[in-house]
Amino acid sequence: MSGAPLSKPKPSLNLRWLALWGPGLLVMLADCDAGNVVTAAQAGAQWGLQLLVVLLGLIPLLYMVQELTVRLGIFTGRGHGELIRSNFGALWAWVSAAGLVIAVLGSLVTEFTGVAGIGEMYGV
């Protein structure tokens, strides 16, 4: 073996682009599901522009929460459940996980409802 140091392979430009934009695109696309579109349309039909001020006020708060969550994950190198378990105990980690499971199941119901509604429109 020679004494030359081994260099780390440099990731391709596509992989770096995906690592940079991938998580943000996933979060952005997560709000374009059938349940969200139907809820937004229904709220818009019922309330018009009255809730626009509330939505504009929520933008900085939502950005701050997501940004702080990302910083916490990068800084600690641990996930949401791990941090809850280490700081608050296993019971609260399970409570948090149960809440996430309920939210995911609710989201799946709205997805399948949206698919069924589109299928019904086309006679499927």
Side-chain angles (χ1 to χ4, degrees):
M1 286 267 161
S2 66
L6 296 175
S7 62
K8 286 176 54 173
K10 190 172 183 178
S12 72
L13 183 61
N14 290 337
L15 284 177
R16 286 188 287 163
W17 183 87
L18 184 62
L20 177 67
W21 289 100
L25 288 174
L26 285 177
V27 169
M28 182 179 68
L29 292 174
D31 286 336
C32 295
D33 61 347
N36 194 351
V37 171
V38 169
T39 303
Q42 190 174 16
Q46 184 175 358
W47 297 97
L49 296 175
Q50 292 176 347
L51 296 176
L52 187 60
V53 175
V54 174
L55 289 175
L56 291 175
L58 284 174
I59 290 172
L61 295 172
L62 294 172
Y63 178 83
M64 183 181 66
V65 167
Q66 283 189 344
E67 196 260 343
L68 288 173
T69 303
V70 169
R71 282 183 185 225
L72 188 62
I74 290 172
F75 179 74
T76 63
R78 298 163 77 185
H80 177 74
E82 289 176 295
L83 289 170
I84 291 176
R85 187 178 59 239
S86 67
N87 290 313
F88 301 106
L91 175 67
W92 287 109
W94 279 106
V95 168
S96 174
L100 290 172
V101 166
I102 291 169
V104 167
L105 291 175
S107 179
L108 281 173
V109 168
T110 63
E111 292 295 331
F112 286 123
T113 303
V115 170
I118 296 296
E120 190 175 319
M121 284 174 36
Y122 287 102
V124 175

Short mmCIF file of all heavy atoms in Angstrom, two decimals, residues 84-111:
data_model
loop_
_atom_site.label_atom_id
_atom_site.label_comp_id
_atom_site.label_asym_id
_atom_site.label_seq_id
_atom_site.Cartn_x
_atom_site.Cartn_y
_atom_site.Cartn_z
N ILE A 84 -37.52 12.93 21.92
CA ILE A 84 -38.59 12.89 22.93
C ILE A 84 -38.29 11.81 23.96
O ILE A 84 -38.44 12.04 25.16
CB ILE A 84 -39.96 12.67 22.25
CG1 ILE A 84 -40.34 13.91 21.45
CG2 ILE A 84 -41.03 12.36 23.29
CD1 ILE A 84 -41.61 13.77 20.67
N ARG A 85 -37.87 10.63 23.50
CA ARG A 85 -37.58 9.55 24.43
C ARG A 85 -36.44 9.90 25.37
O ARG A 85 -36.52 9.65 26.58
CB ARG A 85 -37.26 8.26 23.66
CG ARG A 85 -37.12 7.05 24.59
CD ARG A 85 -36.85 5.77 23.85
NE ARG A 85 -35.63 5.86 23.06
CZ ARG A 85 -35.57 5.69 21.74
NH1 ARG A 85 -36.66 5.40 21.07
NH2 ARG A 85 -34.43 5.79 21.10
N SER A 86 -35.40 10.52 24.87
CA SER A 86 -34.26 10.83 25.73
C SER A 86 -34.55 11.97 26.71
O SER A 86 -33.99 12.00 27.80
CB SER A 86 -33.03 11.15 24.89
OG SER A 86 -33.22 12.36 24.19
N ASN A 87 -35.41 12.89 26.33
CA ASN A 87 -35.69 14.04 27.20
C ASN A 87 -36.92 13.88 28.08
O ASN A 87 -36.98 14.45 29.16
CB ASN A 87 -35.83 15.32 26.37
CG ASN A 87 -34.52 15.77 25.79
OD1 ASN A 87 -33.51 15.83 26.48
ND2 ASN A 87 -34.52 16.07 24.50
N PHE A 88 -37.92 13.12 27.61
CA PHE A 88 -39.18 13.03 28.36
C PHE A 88 -39.57 11.62 28.75
O PHE A 88 -40.53 11.43 29.48
CB PHE A 88 -40.31 13.67 27.55
CG PHE A 88 -40.08 15.11 27.23
CD1 PHE A 88 -39.74 15.50 25.95
CD2 PHE A 88 -40.17 16.08 28.20
CE1 PHE A 88 -39.51 16.82 25.65
CE2 PHE A 88 -39.95 17.41 27.91
CZ PHE A 88 -39.61 17.78 26.63
N GLY A 89 -38.87 10.61 28.21
CA GLY A 89 -39.17 9.24 28.57
C GLY A 89 -39.90 8.48 27.48
O GLY A 89 -40.42 9.06 26.52
N ALA A 90 -39.94 7.18 27.66
CA ALA A 90 -40.52 6.30 26.64
C ALA A 90 -42.03 6.50 26.49
O ALA A 90 -42.56 6.40 25.39
CB ALA A 90 -40.22 4.85 26.97
N LEU A 91 -42.72 6.79 27.60
CA LEU A 91 -44.18 6.96 27.52
C LEU A 91 -44.53 8.10 26.58
O LEU A 91 -45.40 7.95 25.71
CB LEU A 91 -44.75 7.23 28.92
CG LEU A 91 -46.24 7.55 28.94
CD1 LEU A 91 -47.05 6.35 28.51
CD2 LEU A 91 -46.67 8.04 30.30
N TRP A 92 -43.88 9.24 26.71
CA TRP A 92 -44.20 10.39 25.87
C TRP A 92 -43.76 10.15 24.42
O TRP A 92 -44.38 10.68 23.49
CB TRP A 92 -43.59 11.66 26.42
CG TRP A 92 -44.32 12.11 27.64
CD1 TRP A 92 -43.87 12.09 28.92
CD2 TRP A 92 -45.66 12.60 27.69
NE1 TRP A 92 -44.85 12.54 29.78
CE2 TRP A 92 -45.96 12.86 29.04
CE3 TRP A 92 -46.64 12.84 26.75
CZ2 TRP A 92 -47.19 13.36 29.46
CZ3 TRP A 92 -47.86 13.34 27.16
CH2 TRP A 92 -48.13 13.59 28.49
N ALA A 93 -42.72 9.35 24.23
CA ALA A 93 -42.32 9.00 22.87
C ALA A 93 -43.41 8.16 22.21
O ALA A 93 -43.74 8.36 21.04
CB ALA A 93 -41.00 8.25 22.88
N TRP A 94 -44.00 7.23 22.97
CA TRP A 94 -45.09 6.42 22.42
C TRP A 94 -46.34 7.26 22.18
O TRP A 94 -47.05 7.05 21.19
CB TRP A 94 -45.42 5.25 23.35
CG TRP A 94 -44.47 4.10 23.17
CD1 TRP A 94 -43.46 3.72 24.01
CD2 TRP A 94 -44.44 3.20 22.07
NE1 TRP A 94 -42.80 2.64 23.49
CE2 TRP A 94 -43.37 2.30 22.30
CE3 TRP A 94 -45.18 3.07 20.91
CZ2 TRP A 94 -43.06 1.29 21.40
CZ3 TRP A 94 -44.86 2.05 20.03
CH2 TRP A 94 -43.81 1.19 20.28
N VAL A 95 -46.62 8.21 23.06
CA VAL A 95 -47.77 9.10 22.86
C VAL A 95 -47.58 9.91 21.57
O VAL A 95 -48.50 10.06 20.76
CB VAL A 95 -47.97 10.03 24.08
CG1 VAL A 95 -48.95 11.15 23.78
CG2 VAL A 95 -48.42 9.23 25.29
N SER A 96 -46.37 10.42 21.36
CA SER A 96 -46.07 11.17 20.15
C SER A 96 -46.20 10.28 18.91
O SER A 96 -46.77 10.69 17.90
CB SER A 96 -44.66 11.75 20.23
OG SER A 96 -44.31 12.36 19.03
N ALA A 97 -45.67 9.07 18.99
CA ALA A 97 -45.76 8.15 17.86
C ALA A 97 -47.22 7.78 17.57
O ALA A 97 -47.61 7.69 16.41
CB ALA A 97 -44.94 6.89 18.14
N ALA A 98 -48.02 7.60 18.62
CA ALA A 98 -49.44 7.29 18.42
C ALA A 98 -50.15 8.45 17.73
O ALA A 98 -50.98 8.23 16.83
CB ALA A 98 -50.10 6.97 19.76
N GLY A 99 -49.83 9.66 18.12
CA GLY A 99 -50.42 10.83 17.46
C GLY A 99 -50.04 10.90 15.99
O GLY A 99 -50.89 11.22 15.13
N LEU A 100 -48.80 10.57 15.67
CA LEU A 100 -48.37 10.56 14.28
C LEU A 100 -49.07 9.47 13.49
O LEU A 100 -49.46 9.67 12.34
CB LEU A 100 -46.85 10.39 14.20
CG LEU A 100 -46.03 11.59 14.67
CD1 LEU A 100 -44.55 11.22 14.72
CD2 LEU A 100 -46.25 12.79 13.79
N VAL A 101 -49.26 8.30 14.11
CA VAL A 101 -49.95 7.20 13.42
C VAL A 101 -51.40 7.59 13.13
O VAL A 101 -51.91 7.36 12.03
CB VAL A 101 -49.88 5.91 14.26
CG1 VAL A 101 -50.85 4.86 13.75
CG2 VAL A 101 -48.47 5.36 14.27
N ILE A 102 -52.06 8.22 14.09
CA ILE A 102 -53.45 8.66 13.87
C ILE A 102 -53.51 9.69 12.76
O ILE A 102 -54.40 9.64 11.89
CB ILE A 102 -54.04 9.21 15.19
CG1 ILE A 102 -54.22 8.07 16.19
CG2 ILE A 102 -55.34 9.95 14.95
CD1 ILE A 102 -54.54 8.52 17.59
N ALA A 103 -52.56 10.63 12.73
CA ALA A 103 -52.54 11.64 11.66
C ALA A 103 -52.30 11.01 10.30
O ALA A 103 -52.94 11.39 9.31
CB ALA A 103 -51.45 12.68 11.97
N VAL A 104 -51.42 10.02 10.24
CA VAL A 104 -51.14 9.36 8.96
C VAL A 104 -52.37 8.56 8.50
O VAL A 104 -52.72 8.59 7.31
CB VAL A 104 -49.90 8.45 9.09
CG1 VAL A 104 -49.78 7.50 7.90
CG2 VAL A 104 -48.66 9.29 9.21
N LEU A 105 -53.02 7.88 9.41
CA LEU A 105 -54.23 7.13 9.03
C LEU A 105 -55.32 8.07 8.54
O LEU A 105 -56.02 7.78 7.56
CB LEU A 105 -54.72 6.28 10.21
CG LEU A 105 -53.83 5.10 10.58
CD1 LEU A 105 -54.37 4.40 11.83
CD2 LEU A 105 -53.72 4.13 9.43
N GLY A 106 -55.49 9.21 9.20
CA GLY A 106 -56.46 10.20 8.74
C GLY A 106 -56.11 10.72 7.36
O GLY A 106 -56.98 10.91 6.50
N SER A 107 -54.83 10.94 7.11
CA SER A 107 -54.39 11.40 5.80
C SER A 107 -54.66 10.34 4.74
O SER A 107 -55.06 10.67 3.61
CB SER A 107 -52.90 11.75 5.86
OG SER A 107 -52.45 12.17 4.61
N LEU A 108 -54.41 9.08 5.08
CA LEU A 108 -54.70 8.01 4.11
C LEU A 108 -56.18 7.94 3.77
O LEU A 108 -56.55 7.71 2.61
CB LEU A 108 -54.23 6.66 4.67
CG LEU A 108 -52.74 6.39 4.57
CD1 LEU A 108 -52.38 5.11 5.31
CD2 LEU A 108 -52.30 6.31 3.12
N VAL A 109 -57.03 8.16 4.76
CA VAL A 109 -58.48 8.15 4.50
C VAL A 109 -58.84 9.25 3.52
O VAL A 109 -59.60 9.04 2.57
CB VAL A 109 -59.27 8.28 5.83
CG1 VAL A 109 -60.73 8.57 5.57
CG2 VAL A 109 -59.13 7.00 6.65
N THR A 110 -58.28 10.46 3.73
CA THR A 110 -58.60 11.55 2.80
C THR A 110 -58.04 11.28 1.41
O THR A 110 -58.66 11.64 0.41
CB THR A 110 -58.07 12.90 3.31
OG1 THR A 110 -56.65 12.87 3.38
CG2 THR A 110 -58.66 13.26 4.65
N GLU A 111 -56.88 10.63 1.32
CA GLU A 111 -56.32 10.29 0.01
C GLU A 111 -57.24 9.32 -0.73
O GLU A 111 -57.54 9.52 -1.91
CB GLU A 111 -54.93 9.66 0.16
CG GLU A 111 -53.87 10.59 0.66
CD GLU A 111 -53.55 11.71 -0.29
OE1 GLU A 111 -53.71 11.54 -1.51
OE2 GLU A 111 -53.15 12.78 0.19
#
